[in-house]
Amino acid sequence: MSHISRRAQGLGNAASRRTVLAAALLGASALVPLAAQAADVKKYPERPVRVVVGFSAGGTTDVVARIMAKELTAELGQSFVIDNKPGAGSNIATEQVARAEPDGYTLLFVAVTSAINQTLYPKVRFDLVKDFAPVALGAKVPNVLVVNPSVPVKNVQELIAYAKANPDKVSYASSGSGTSIHMAGELFKLRTGLKTQHIPYKGSAPALTDLMAGQVQFMFDNMPSSWPHVMNGKLKALAVTTSKRSPTAPDLPTMEESGIKPFDVSSWFGLIAPAGTPPEVVNKLNAAMNKAFDKPEVKEAYAKLGAVSEKNTPEQFGVFIKSEVASWAPVVKSSGATVD
């Protein structure tokens, strides 16, 4: 081998060694953030956590979110701060969290509305199934079928008969087009063949006001807002919309017991995180929420809302969300409701 060839080989070997060393150093540096990330996950949360709610303060979603935020704060030792971001039927908040850093410090307290919006809004910019990591189902709140006391019916079947006999005299109210309250009414029409008119309002309060005044005849409302009016005789309750009776009104039959099958509708709320959030973070949050469900003070607060909860895993909540998106799609399409 010539002197030049040996020198070239030496240079080549040196270059090769430098390349290997550089790769090793690069690999070592890449391991540092991964190790740091693993340490951060174990210490989570190390700073306050933002819990975004897509509705104004005081609504049922906000109330349940604040109950859970208080319990997460107590259990995990950092503040879980509610951030109300109402707008576009909660889509603004949902889209914002979908694009947040998946580090566990920006979470969404989601409601059934987002499952409905997946079909209701043709241009929705999030996928509730793919863009999020489910944490835990926080609560279910039944809707209740209420009528004005002047309507001469005592049960669901009598309401159906009355509505079919008086199609021009019966209409139903909702808190707005596309809401779970509206969709419960549309499901009722779909299951019974009724042609009653839908009258949307800007919230449950004005809808209930007109219902009690006799301007509309019936409504599927969240139990927390309508039940006080039932108790004082201003409204008459016919059934709850969940598959099981409500502890708040154990003598009130379900829609399915009243002959409308299948019919299992509730306003539900839960915690979700951006997709890619570390499983260790998700599991820690899930465990804290499940622990809260056993506390007497949480059970008492839920009872006042007519809400129920049960322990669940992130996987179970994910299956539930997927089923809700799928089951509401045909109801939304049947109603003809759409929002650009």
Side-chain angles (χ1 to χ4, degrees):
M1 182 179 295
S2 70
H3 174 71
I4 294 176
S5 297
R6 286 196 299 271
R7 185 171 181 271
Q9 183 180 11
L11 291 172
N13 290 338
S16 178
R17 286 194 296 272
R18 285 195 298 271
T19 300
V20 171
L21 179 61
L25 290 172
L26 181 61
S29 65
L31 290 175
V32 173
L34 290 176
Q37 181 181 0
D40 290 344
V41 167
K42 290 181 180 179
K43 294 178 181 178
Y44 174 87
E46 296 185 279
R47 61 179 189 271
V49 178
R50 185 167 68 112
V51 182
V52 182
V53 175
F55 301 93
S56 300
T60 307
T61 309
D62 177 73
V63 171
V64 176
R66 290 179 187 275
I67 293 172
M68 282 296 104
K70 180 181 178 181
E71 295 303 317
L72 289 169
T73 297
E75 180 65 21
L76 299 178
Q78 286 287 350
S79 297
F80 281 71
V81 182
I82 298 298
D83 183 9
N84 296 95
K85 293 283 184 182
S90 79
N91 284 350
I92 292 174
T94 307
E95 291 170 7
Q96 182 183 97
V97 177
R99 283 147 186 76
E101 188 72 24
D103 55 8
Y105 290 95
T106 302
L107 308 172
L108 177 71
F109 213 81
V110 67
V112 60
T113 310
S114 292
I116 294 170
N117 289 353
Q118 199 72 71
T119 304
L120 182 66
Y121 287 75
K123 298 178 182 178
V124 68
R125 292 179 291 181
F126 63 85
D127 188 312
L128 197 60
V129 174
K130 296 179 180 178
D131 292 340
F132 294 94
V135 174
L137 176 63
K140 288 184 177 181
V141 175
N143 288 344
V144 59
L145 172 55
V146 288
V147 299
N148 184 285
S150 66
V151 179
V153 301
K154 299 183 183 68
N155 55 54
V156 175
Q157 290 299 329
E158 288 185 4
L159 175 62
I160 294 169
Y162 180 78
K164 287 184 176 180
N166 301 274
D168 297 329
K169 296 181 181 179
V170 178
S171 58
Y172 76 99
S174 83
S175 54
S177 295
T179 62
S180 63
I181 293 172
H182 172 208
M183 289 299 113
E186 290 299 323
L187 182 60
F188 183 49
K189 290 168 62 177
L190 192 64
R191 294 283 185 265
T192 60
L194 290 179
K195 304 297 182 182
T196 54
Q197 184 180 5
H198 168 230
I199 309 296
Y201 290 81
K202 293 182 178 180
S204 285
L208 287 169
T209 297
D210 270 12
L211 177 60
M212 289 184 284
Q215 300 300 314
V216 288
Q217 284 63 53
F218 71 94
M219 178 179 177
F220 287 88
D221 189 36
N222 293 157
M223 183 170 275
S225 55
S226 61
W227 199 247
H229 302 300
V230 174
M231 296 303 292
N232 65 24
K234 293 182 179 179
L235 291 175
K236 182 164 51 178
L238 302 184
V240 291
T241 61
T242 42
S243 60
K244 297 179 181 180
R245 294 194 181 197
S246 169
T248 302
D251 295 331
L252 193 63
T254 67
M255 291 292 289
E256 292 189 346
E257 288 174 330
S258 302
I260 314 302
K261 299 181 180 180
F263 205 107
D264 184 7
V265 174
S266 63
S267 291
W268 55 263
F269 318 94
L271 193 65
I272 58 178
T277 299
E280 296 88 347
V281 170
V282 170
N283 290 333
K284 185 176 285 191
L285 291 166
N286 176 271
M289 286 184 64
N290 282 331
K291 186 176 181 179
F293 298 150
D294 288 331
K295 293 186 176 182
E297 59 268 31
V298 173
K299 290 181 178 180
E300 182 180 353
Y302 272 25
K304 291 179 180 178
L305 294 172
V308 295
S309 64
E310 57 185 34
K311 293 181 181 180
N312 58 102
T313 66
E315 292 76 19
Q316 289 170 332
F317 188 30
V319 170
F320 176 78
I321 289 174
K322 189 174 182 179
S323 69
E324 283 287 287
V325 172
S327 64
W328 280 117
V331 181
V332 173
K333 291 175 183 176
S334 173
S335 74
T338 184
V339 180
D340 292 330

